[in-house]
Amino acid sequence: MAARGHDEADAAHWAEVFLPELTAAQLASLRRAGFELPKLQHLARTKYGRSLVVSVLVCFTDAYPQAAAAADIARAGEANRMITSRSAGEFEKALQAHGLSSAPAGAVPAQRAPQASERGPGGYPTTATRWWLGWFLVVLLALASLTLLAGVDVGFGVVLGAVWLIAGYALVVRRTVFGRTPVPARVRRSYLWASVALVIGAVGASNAWLIALGSQGVGRVDSESQLTGSHGTRYSQCSVVQPDGNTVDLRATGACPKPDGAPVTMVYVPGDAGSVWRPALGTKGDLEPLAGLWGVGTLVGCGLLVRAARR
C-alpha cells in the first residue's frame, strides 16, 4: 500500500510540474528504450530529475516538438545510469534506433568489429591466414638464426636469434597475430619459455651440424698463432691439418693440445677448408652432449610456440 501511495504521489507531481500526459505509443517507445514510467515519475520529483526526464522524452518520444540536442542526449544518458540496468552499449543502440548518437559531432566512428568469419583461431581480430603466417614466420626466422647461423658462429647466431625473438613478439605476434589486442598471459608465458629453450639449445647447434655433416678422423696439429681481437685482447688460435689435407683453424680458440705435427682426433666436414664449418677436436661422441642440448631445446621451444599458436 505504501509503494502504491508513492506511485500515486509521483504521478500527481508529474502533472504538477507540467510534464505531458503520454500516449500508449509513447509509453511503448520508452519501454523499448529501457525506461519505465513509474521510475521516470519518481525521478521527476526533483528539479534536476525533471530536466533529465524531459530530455528522455525529447530523445525517445514525440511528446516535445524540438529535436534532441547533445545536451538532451547527455542528460538522457545520465537518467539511463540512474534508473535503469541497461549498459552504455544498450543505451547507444536505443539512441541509434531513433537516429541519435552519443558520439560528439565530428568524432571518428569506431571501427566495426571483425565478424566471426574475419577472426582467426581463438576469436582474435585477424584472419586465419595472417594468424598462421605470423606464427610460421616467427618459428622460421628463429630456427634460421638459432640453428643455421649458430651452427656456423654460435655467438652471432645466439645474439641475432635473441634479438629476432624479441622483435618477432613485438612486431609479429602482437600486431599481425593478435591484431593489436592484448596477448593472453598463457601465450606470453609459452612464448617466453620457448625463447629461453631455443636460445639455450642454440649453444649446441654447431655440434649437431658437425655430427650430421662431418666425419671423424685423425689429422695433425699445424701451428699455434697469437692474434689480437677486435677489443684489443690477445688470444691463441690453433690450426690443424684435416685428414683431407686442408689446413683450417679450429672452431674454438685456445692453445693447441699437442706440439706441432702431433696427431689429433677431430670431427670435420670433408672438402670444407674452414670457410663454413670449422673442425672440432675429439670424437663424435664428445660432441653429443651439446648436440643433445640443441635437440631438446629446439623441440621444446618449437613445441611451446605451437602450443601458443593453438590457443
Side-chain angles (χ1 to χ4, degrees), residues 139-167:
V139 174
L140 178 64
L141 293 183
L143 290 179
S145 55
L146 293 171
T147 293
L148 182 58
L149 292 181
V152 178
D153 187 324
V154 62
F156 179 71
V158 167
V159 170
L160 187 64
V163 170
W164 162 246
L165 286 168
I166 295 171

Side-chain angles (χ1 to χ4, degrees), residues 134-143 164-165 168 172-173 191 305:
W135 282 113
F136 176 76
L137 184 63
V138 168
V139 174
L140 178 64
L141 293 183
L143 290 179
W164 162 246
L165 286 168
V172 179
V173 175
Y191 191 94
L305 288 177

Side-chain angles (χ1 to χ4, degrees), residues 52-272:
L52 301 184
V53 170
V54 170
S55 291
V56 170
L57 298 180
V58 169
C59 290
F60 298 109
T61 74
D62 56 1
Y64 290 95
Q66 69 264 32
D72 291 311
I73 295 173
R75 284 193 290 265
E78 179 64 19
N80 176 75
R81 289 189 290 271
M82 292 176 64
I83 65 173
T84 78
S85 59
R86 287 200 164 191
S87 66
E90 291 172 321
F91 175 72
E92 185 65 30
K93 289 181 180 179
L95 286 174
Q96 292 173 357
H98 288 264
L100 303 173
S101 174
S102 60
V108 178
Q111 293 183 349
R112 176 181 63 87
Q115 302 300 313
S117 61
E118 300 172 314
R119 291 176 179 264
Y124 296 102
T126 185
T127 63
T129 299
R130 292 183 64 186
W131 176 277
W132 293 114
L133 182 60
W135 282 113
F136 176 76
L137 184 63
V138 168
V139 174
L140 178 64
L141 293 183
L143 290 179
S145 55
L146 293 171
T147 293
L148 182 58
L149 292 181
V152 178
D153 187 324
V154 62
F156 179 71
V158 167
V159 170
L160 187 64
V163 170
W164 162 246
L165 286 168
I166 295 171
Y169 178 82
L171 300 177
V172 179
V173 175
R174 291 188 61 187
R175 298 191 179 193
T176 300
V177 174
F178 284 91
R180 298 178 183 270
T181 60
V183 179
R186 60 181 179 273
V187 175
R188 295 199 303 270
R189 287 194 298 269
S190 294
Y191 191 94
L192 173 63
W193 288 114
S195 300
V196 172
L198 288 169
V199 170
I200 292 176
V203 174
S206 59
N207 283 22
W209 280 111
L210 278 178
I211 290 175
L213 303 178
S215 299
Q216 179 178 317
V218 177
R220 59 184 173 83
V221 175
D222 177 60
S223 62
E224 180 179 323
S225 304
Q226 295 296 318
L227 303 176
T228 302
S230 58
H231 297 287
T233 57
R234 301 279 295 174
Y235 66 95
S236 299
Q237 178 65 61
C238 182
S239 62
V240 297
V241 179
Q242 297 181 160
D244 61 3
N246 288 313
T247 301
V248 183
D249 288 341
L250 287 176
R251 184 182 63 183
T253 59
C256 291
K258 295 181 178 181
D260 294 355
V264 287
T265 301
M266 66 184 71
V267 180
Y268 68 103
V269 176
D272 190 296

Side-chain angles (χ1 to χ4, degrees), residues 263-289:
V264 287
T265 301
M266 66 184 71
V267 180
Y268 68 103
V269 176
D272 190 296
S275 58
V276 178
W277 311 107
R278 293 186 179 186
L281 295 180
T283 66
K284 284 193 174 184
D286 296 331
L287 303 181
E288 288 177 354

